[in-house]
Amino acid sequence: MKMNRILTVLGLSTIFSVAANAQYSDVPPKESPMKMKPEMTEIWEPEVKVITPGKLPWDAPSDAIVLFDGKNLNNWVSQKDPKKPAPWKIINNEYMEVVPGSGGIQTKMKFGDCQLHIEWSAPDVVESVGQGRGNSGVFLQNRYEIQILDSYNNRTYANGQAGSVYKDHPPLVNAMKSPLEWNTYDIIYRAPRFKPDGRLDSPATVTVLHNGVLVQNNVTINGLTLYIGLHNYPEAHGEDVISLQDHGNKTQFKNIWIRRL
């Protein structure tokens, strides 16, 4: 037993001695210690889910929730009183129109991370200027507004025109169509995350395409949309409704669908 211990100690001593005298190099080897094979970087499982895309770019894919298809407002309620149906008008079984003074509307369902498609048009008759023309807004989680406004030949503050994160980020460009044409928003939204104690962990982010043109490129939403004051995250929250604003203009909406992400 004693001899074995001596040999073990001598063996370790030899290893340490060799290691101490080893020569290190900062020159990479000519060949990788293990030759890479194509299959080493292939991901096979889990298999990607198959869905059916819409026939046209603005059509809802098979995994989307259709929030409005022109037929009814069954997926919406009054924002003033969620127990009451949405008070806006449906016209020609094609689109809905804001009834000024009736208040906003909101979805019955709640959402967090999502892909949202919405088509909208300014009122056919051009009235007023600046923020008085075709004003509305789509609110993500009922808090963070993507501005809707007739910004066609209509100057206003940059972070309040169509395509802006209202009072937060101006759009990269003005891609607005005329009041007699339909606009599209395609919105990719990542909801804010909160720590267990309610403090903000990571803010919300959003990407917006206006008429197929990138106008918000994965920007950070700085907090609750406020008309006056700096935006902030006053409290933690989870999924919430999508809401559309009544700003006193007969703004029109159609073909609204959403995908949970």
Side-chain angles (χ1 to χ4, degrees):
M1 293 292 291
K2 183 175 181 181
M3 181 61 69
N4 287 340
R5 285 198 297 270
I6 292 172
L7 289 174
T8 300
V9 171
L10 288 174
L12 289 174
S13 177
T14 301
I15 291 172
F16 291 144
S17 176
V18 170
N21 294 323
Q23 297 298 314
Y24 296 100
S25 172
D26 59 0
V27 178
K30 293 181 179 180
E31 294 185 8
S32 173
M34 178 180 291
K35 189 174 181 179
M36 292 294 291
K37 299 179 181 179
E39 55 268 27
M40 290 180 175
T41 52
E42 295 171 358
I43 299 174
W44 284 79
E45 298 293 344
E47 187 175 359
V48 177
K49 178 184 176 182
V50 176
I51 67 163
T52 304
K55 291 183 179 180
L56 298 172
W58 49 84
D59 291 341
S62 60
D63 64 343
I65 299 169
V66 177
L67 295 175
F68 179 70
D69 62 2
K71 296 182 177 64
N72 58 64
L73 286 165
N74 292 347
N75 287 320
W76 301 82
V77 293
S78 167
Q79 198 166 34
K80 286 183 177 180
D81 184 354
K83 295 180 181 178
K84 295 182 178 180
W88 294 2
K89 292 194 303 183
I90 293 180
I91 299 176
N92 299 328
N93 286 324
E94 179 188 1
Y95 61 90
M96 62 172 151
E97 184 177 88
V98 177
V99 176
S102 65
I105 64 173
Q106 65 187 42
T107 57
K108 292 180 178 179
M109 291 177 281
K110 296 181 179 182
F111 302 94
D113 297 354
C114 65
Q115 174 187 350
L116 175 66
H117 175 90
I118 184 168
E119 299 176 29
W120 59 276
S121 176
D124 296 341
V125 178
V126 175
E127 296 178 341
S128 191
V129 296
Q131 294 291 304
R133 267 178 56 178
N135 196 328
S136 183
V138 53
F139 285 79
L140 303 163
Q141 291 189 295
N142 208 29
R143 292 168 174 82
Y144 315 109
E145 182 185 9
I146 306 302
Q147 173 71 320
I148 288 174
L149 189 79
D150 182 2
S151 296
Y152 185 79
N153 294 331
N154 178 34
R155 184 72 190 276
T156 188
Y157 46 93
N159 60 348
Q161 71 180 69
S164 65
V165 181
Y166 187 71
K167 284 291 187 82
D168 198 338
H169 297 285
L172 296 172
V173 293
N174 182 349
M176 186 71 190
K177 293 184 178 181
S178 75
L180 295 179
E181 298 178 272
W182 286 94
N183 292 269
T184 63
Y185 277 168
D186 287 287
I187 300 169
I188 311 299
Y189 174 68
R190 183 183 185 276
R193 269 58 171 172
F194 297 91
K195 297 179 180 179
D197 62 2
R199 290 181 299 152
L200 181 68
D201 190 15
S202 61
T205 60
V206 70
T207 294
V208 181
L209 283 87
H210 182 190
N211 294 324
V213 179
L214 184 68
V215 293
Q216 299 291 345
N217 188 11
N218 193 34
V219 299
T220 296
I221 296 177
N222 289 313
L224 178 70
T225 296
L226 300 172
Y227 180 54
I228 299 174
L230 299 177
H231 295 191
N232 62 88
Y233 290 89
E235 60 183 4
H237 64 83
E239 292 189 341
D240 212 334
V241 299
I242 304 291
S243 58
L244 300 176
Q245 185 183 43
D246 167 18
H247 203 278
N249 300 127
K250 293 183 178 181
T251 308
Q252 302 158 351
F253 298 90
K254 69 175 183 177
N255 195 22
I256 306 173
W257 51 264
I258 193 168
R259 297 178 64 241
R260 297 183 187 277
L261 300 179

